[in-house]
Amino acid sequence: MLLGLIITLTAVVAYSWYITRQIAGLRQLQSGLADRNRKDSLQLLRIQNDLNSLGLSMRDMLDGEQPYPLTAWAPQFQRLRADLDDGLRREQDVAPVTRTADQRQYLASSFAQFWTAADQMLALASQGKDSEARDQIRVTLQARQAALGTAVARLLVENNESEEQTAQQVAAIYERVQRNVYWFLSAILVAIVLTSAYLMHTNRRLFAELASLSDERHELAQKLIATRESTLRHIARELHDEFGQVLTAMGSMLERSRKHAPEGSPLKTDLREIAEVAQKMLTQVRSLSQTLHPSILEQAGLESTIDWYLSTVERQTGLSVSYERDGPGIVLDGTTAIHVYRVVQEAMTNVARHSGAKEAWVRLRSKDGLIELDVEDHGKGAEAGGPRRGLGIVAMRERAEMLGGTIEFLKPPAGGTLVRLRVPIETRDAHAD
């Protein structure tokens, strides 16, 4: 992702720089050539008009039918000269950069020569030498005026050609930019497609690995739970059968020995005390055996076991527990029964240790091939939306999944916590052994 981001950003920066350069070149082309050509052409047209006016004036001066002397055209020549000088100066300022220095010098020198000849013609006219003045017009001035007109026309043609070339260059730049935009967009789309495909492939692989790890975790947790139950059942049986029998035998032997001891002797008193300790130890061993794996579960079933356990919780913790049973009788295999019992045990342990409640409600319902178990308290409850990462909570979830059921941790209207377990009755645990 980082490499793709770097490549994309580099491409965007490079293309932005390229577009900026193209736009700057286009702006320079338009301002440096097109605008200058247009302004220069306007001044050349002004000069051309003035040259045409000079041509008309010289034609009128050569017309012998005019009642005016040649000197009468002197003011008009002065006006046209001033306008031409101004136009020529402005034209020099806006001349295109492609105009050579020789071309500029030629135009300026040609005008200077024309005005020198015009001054000579007007001087001859002022001396009354009209015939020589007209000869000057025919031989020199008209030729120079025609040459200037041709030069100005040539410059106008060059400006037009330059404008056409500029227009072609602008069109070429636009076309090149447009083409590059398409290439850039295509490259970006390809990069996005490749990056997306790579991300999809990577994410699919990561999710597959996570799913595999999750499955392995579930399998390991279920195996650990099954192993734990098997171990606890074995230890409970050992305590009940081996230690229980040994303690029972010790109690019987002590009782017989106490009967053979003389009345009032210290030995008889000691034997009685030892027998009481053995009986107390036997009671504790049997209680521990029931705690590790209640044998009543296999003998009397889940409902009686839950009833026995809740009464034990009330006696040991001082909680007031209400037990409700609804629906037809439940017949479960040992594996399903022990897992449901462990959920009740863990939920009641949480109520006693963490909720701070004085009352709890346990409801066991069976209907439509489904067991629904509720353990509710109105204590502190869990934080809203807070994570449930305790090992007991994890174990309850795993047990529900092993049974093909579901477990929810809800908040009842009165506050506290409601643990709701739903398990199909016909479910059998594949990992029981």
Side-chain angles (χ1 to χ4, degrees):
M1 291 180 65
L2 181 60
L3 180 61
L5 179 62
I6 292 174
I7 293 175
T8 302
L9 291 177
T10 303
V12 170
V13 171
Y15 185 74
S16 300
W17 176 82
Y18 168 76
I19 291 296
T20 303
R21 290 294 302 271
Q22 292 293 318
I23 292 175
L26 183 60
R27 185 181 295 110
Q28 182 180 5
L29 185 64
Q30 289 179 333
S31 61
L33 293 178
D35 293 344
R36 291 179 70 90
N37 281 348
R38 180 178 57 83
K39 294 178 181 179
D40 186 69
S41 296
L42 291 176
Q43 296 301 323
L44 290 175
L45 289 173
R46 175 185 176 185
I47 294 172
Q48 191 177 54
N49 289 334
D50 288 340
L51 289 174
N52 291 334
S53 298
L54 283 174
L56 293 175
S57 297
M58 288 187 294
R59 186 193 64 183
D60 293 339
M61 292 172 71
L62 293 175
D63 189 0
E65 297 179 358
Q66 293 293 334
Y68 309 108
L70 294 180
T71 55
W73 274 269
Q76 185 173 357
F77 266 67
Q78 292 298 327
R79 179 182 62 79
L80 291 174
R81 182 174 184 175
D83 192 66
L84 282 169
D85 288 343
D86 182 69
L88 185 63
R89 179 179 56 79
R90 291 178 180 270
E91 193 276 336
Q92 295 290 337
D93 293 337
V94 296
V97 293
T98 56
R99 182 82 53 80
T100 63
D102 292 340
Q103 289 177 318
R104 298 181 183 182
Q105 184 63 32
Y106 171 77
L107 190 62
S109 62
S110 297
F111 269 104
Q113 292 173 5
F114 175 83
W115 292 120
T116 299
D119 291 340
Q120 292 176 358
M121 181 272 296
L122 291 175
L124 291 174
S126 64
Q127 295 174 5
K129 300 178 181 179
D130 290 348
S131 178
E132 294 180 6
R134 286 188 175 88
D135 291 338
Q136 182 76 8
I137 293 174
R138 292 190 191 95
V139 175
T140 305
L141 290 181
Q142 285 186 335
R144 293 187 182 279
Q145 185 266 341
L148 286 171
T150 302
V152 171
R154 187 183 303 111
L155 292 177
L156 284 171
V157 170
E158 291 179 357
N159 284 351
N160 290 335
E161 293 176 350
S162 178
E163 289 180 4
E164 292 179 358
Q165 294 177 358
T166 301
Q168 292 176 358
Q169 292 178 4
V170 170
I173 291 175
Y174 278 123
E175 182 179 359
R176 185 165 59 251
V177 170
Q178 185 179 15
R179 183 173 60 252
N180 289 331
V181 165
Y182 291 148
W183 279 109
F184 177 75
L185 292 178
S186 300
I188 290 296
L189 289 176
V190 170
I192 291 174
V193 170
L194 293 178
T195 304
S196 300
Y198 175 75
L199 289 177
M200 291 173 61
H201 173 71
T202 304
N203 289 339
R204 186 180 295 111
R205 185 178 62 187
L206 290 176
F207 285 133
E209 292 178 358
L210 289 176
S212 177
L213 291 175
S214 179
D215 292 340
E216 292 177 1
R217 186 189 69 81
H218 284 307
E219 184 178 359
L220 177 61
Q222 293 172 4
K223 286 183 178 180
L224 288 175
I225 291 175
T227 302
R228 176 176 179 267
E229 291 299 333
S230 176
T231 303
L232 291 177
R233 181 167 59 249
H234 176 72
I235 294 175
R237 287 177 179 175
E238 290 293 326
L239 288 175
H240 185 274
D241 296 341
E242 300 295 333
F243 286 94
Q245 292 177 5
V246 170
L247 290 174
T248 300
M250 288 177 59
S252 300
M253 294 172 63
L254 290 170
E255 183 64 24
R256 288 197 302 270
S257 299
R258 189 172 66 84
K259 289 180 179 180
H260 292 292
E263 291 293 336
S265 65
L267 178 60
K268 190 170 186 175
T269 303
D270 293 340
L271 290 174
R272 181 177 58 79
E273 291 179 355
I274 295 172
E276 291 177 353
V277 171
Q279 183 61 38
K280 183 178 181 180
M281 181 63 66
L282 177 61
T283 303
Q284 291 179 351
V285 166
R286 288 177 175 175
S287 176
L288 179 60
S289 174
Q290 291 294 328
T291 301
L292 294 176
H293 186 83
S295 58
I296 187 176
L297 188 64
E298 300 171 355
Q299 299 169 0
L302 177 64
E303 300 176 46
S304 299
T305 303
I306 292 178
D307 195 6
W308 164 80
Y309 172 70
L310 295 179
S311 62
T312 303
V313 169
E314 286 184 314
R315 185 174 62 256
Q316 293 178 349
T317 64
L319 275 174
S320 175
V321 183
S322 298
Y323 177 48
E324 300 177 9
R325 173 71 180 89
D326 186 24
I330 303 173
V331 179
L332 299 176
D333 63 282
T335 301
T336 304
I338 189 61
H339 287 311
V340 175
Y341 171 76
R342 292 302 186 194
V343 171
V344 175
Q345 191 178 37
E346 184 63 37
M348 290 304 302
T349 300
N350 289 339
V351 172
R353 291 181 180 178
H354 307 299
S355 70
K358 299 300 182 182
E359 292 181 299
W361 292 263
V362 178
R363 294 179 287 271
L364 182 63
R365 294 182 291 272
S366 58
K367 60 179 180 179
D368 301 329
L370 187 72
I371 296 176
E372 186 174 284
L373 172 70
D374 288 350
V375 179
E376 179 180 352
D377 70 84
H378 298 164
K380 299 178 182 178
E383 296 182 2
R388 300 177 177 272
R389 301 185 183 276
L391 293 178
I393 300 296
V394 174
M396 284 193 283
R397 291 185 186 278
E398 292 297 334
R399 291 181 187 275
E401 185 172 346
M402 290 173 68
L403 298 176
T406 61
I407 189 168
E408 297 178 287
F409 300 90
L410 308 174
K411 185 175 183 179
T417 304
L418 171 60
V419 180
R420 176 166 292 167
L421 174 68
R422 291 188 179 93
V423 177
I425 295 178
E426 61 273 15
T427 298
R428 295 294 181 267
D429 182 21
H431 300 284
D433 297 330

